[in-house]
Amino acid sequence: MTVTDLLFEKLLPILLPLSCLACDRLIDGGRHSLGLCVRCRGRLMPLGADRCAGCGRPLRGFDLPASFRCGSCRRRPRAYDRLIALWAFRPPLDAVIYGLKFQRLESLGLHLAREMAREMADRLRSELAGLDLVVWVPLHWRRHLGRGYNQAERIARPLARELGAPCRRVLVRARATPAQTGLVRARRAANLHGAIRTRRGDWIAGRRILLVDDVTTTGATLDAAATALRAAGAAEITAIAAARTPGIGEPSARKTVIW
Ligand SMILES: [Zn+2]
Ligand SMILES: [Zn+2]
């Protein structure tokens, strides 16, 4: 076991709180996945297969192919080839994402990466086999400085290790953008236009890339990052987010609290 492995396997999990992030119950020491107790861990809600491959919007009543896109995504295709969002952004996962983003619980990124790799094991063996590169959605340097780390990078790096693919910083925020919350898709896209740039085009051109973020709503930020990767010659881009919040007009959208 290398020093890095030791750090991730043995030390980092200890840095999580001893009580469940979602319900405050004490956690049995050996079972610390995602900082949740066993009961809350069992309440994670995987997103079903009947979803638009562009924005993740639920599509009901059809037996649809995995690449099916809703009308809005067919009219304005995304720069990425597919979006995979693993779980609904609702309790208890919202508490995990909050911990990762705002409570300096960086090791939750490792836990999420492992759970994500497990959840999509079948796809990783088939359509996602042989990825060349894992990248993450960048934060503006000022926000990065304030938080001390980028939560998407904290998921991307261990996820890349799980997949045996290199992970590199090829995306940068060229300018800060106002919060996306509450904006409809067109406004989100305008908000982000030109905000994300690439570096080291030689790592991007011709590559099959996995683009990682922690949470997505309409896929606008992932789309902006994918647009930059595509302009640098990426051959294939799979966007992935641990959680997806319902977009405006979708069921339960109003009940979701986003920070
Ligand atoms: Zn709990
Ligand atoms: Zn869509």
Side-chain angles (χ1 to χ4, degrees):
M1 186 179 267
T2 66
V3 174
T4 314
D5 287 343
L6 185 74
L7 188 71
F8 275 102
E9 295 290 334
K10 303 290 180 197
L11 300 180
L12 280 181
I14 299 169
L15 302 178
L16 290 178
L18 292 171
S19 56
C20 172
L21 289 170
C23 74
D24 274 341
R25 234 180 243 113
L26 277 180
I27 300 177
D28 162 15
R31 296 169 162 268
H32 217 121
S33 182
L34 296 170
L36 299 174
C37 68
V38 176
R39 205 164 112 184
C40 288
R41 171 65 189 80
R43 285 167 52 222
L44 278 191
M45 189 194 262
L47 294 173
D50 284 346
R51 291 187 170 261
C52 169
C55 65
R57 172 179 288 272
L59 302 162
R60 287 169 198 277
F62 305 100
D63 193 8
L64 300 166
S67 60
F68 190 87
R69 281 159 170 73
C70 73
S72 162
C73 290
R74 282 200 300 271
R75 279 191 298 278
R76 279 190 50 203
R78 311 293 170 127
Y80 50 76
D81 295 281
R82 61 181 78 80
L83 169 69
I84 302 173
L86 278 299
W87 299 282
F89 183 86
R90 47 174 282 178
L93 190 61
D94 57 348
V96 178
I97 300 285
Y98 187 88
L100 174 64
K101 260 176 135 144
F102 300 111
Q103 297 177 305
R104 296 190 167 267
L105 298 172
E106 292 177 56
S107 53
L108 287 172
L110 167 71
H111 287 237
L112 278 168
R114 282 196 183 144
E115 298 280 347
M116 288 161 83
R118 200 171 304 148
E119 189 72 24
M120 56 179 190
D122 289 344
R123 298 183 81 168
L124 288 170
R125 275 194 295 270
S126 53
E127 63 187 305
L128 298 179
L131 288 165
D132 296 310
L133 180 66
V134 178
V135 305
W136 60 89
V137 170
L139 284 180
H140 188 256
W141 65 267
R142 227 175 284 134
R143 190 169 293 176
H144 196 136
L145 203 65
R147 189 168 294 162
Y149 57 92
N150 177 339
Q151 72 280 356
E153 179 183 359
R154 284 295 177 270
I155 299 171
R157 288 200 178 276
L159 187 58
R161 270 200 301 278
E162 295 274 336
L163 308 186
C167 186
R168 301 203 200 285
R169 191 173 81 91
V170 299
L171 292 169
V172 287
R173 281 267 175 173
R175 61 179 169 81
T177 47
Q180 299 278 83
T181 309
L183 299 181
V184 296
R185 183 181 166 194
R187 289 284 305 135
R188 285 173 185 243
N191 199 13
L192 284 160
H193 185 72
I196 298 178
R197 304 237 170 95
T198 54
R199 60 188 283 275
R200 292 299 304 257
D202 54 323
W203 284 338
I204 301 168
R207 308 276 193 241
R208 297 181 64 218
I209 296 177
L210 187 69
L211 167 65
V212 180
D213 206 356
D214 54 339
V215 183
T216 185
T217 299
T218 63
T221 310
L222 287 163
D223 191 33
T227 300
L229 290 170
R230 198 63 87 181
E236 186 188 285
I237 303 165
T238 299
I240 184 166
R244 181 180 181 278
T245 65
I248 293 166
E250 287 178 36
S252 76
R254 268 176 300 164
K255 284 182 236 146
T256 307
V257 179
I258 318 164
W259 325 283

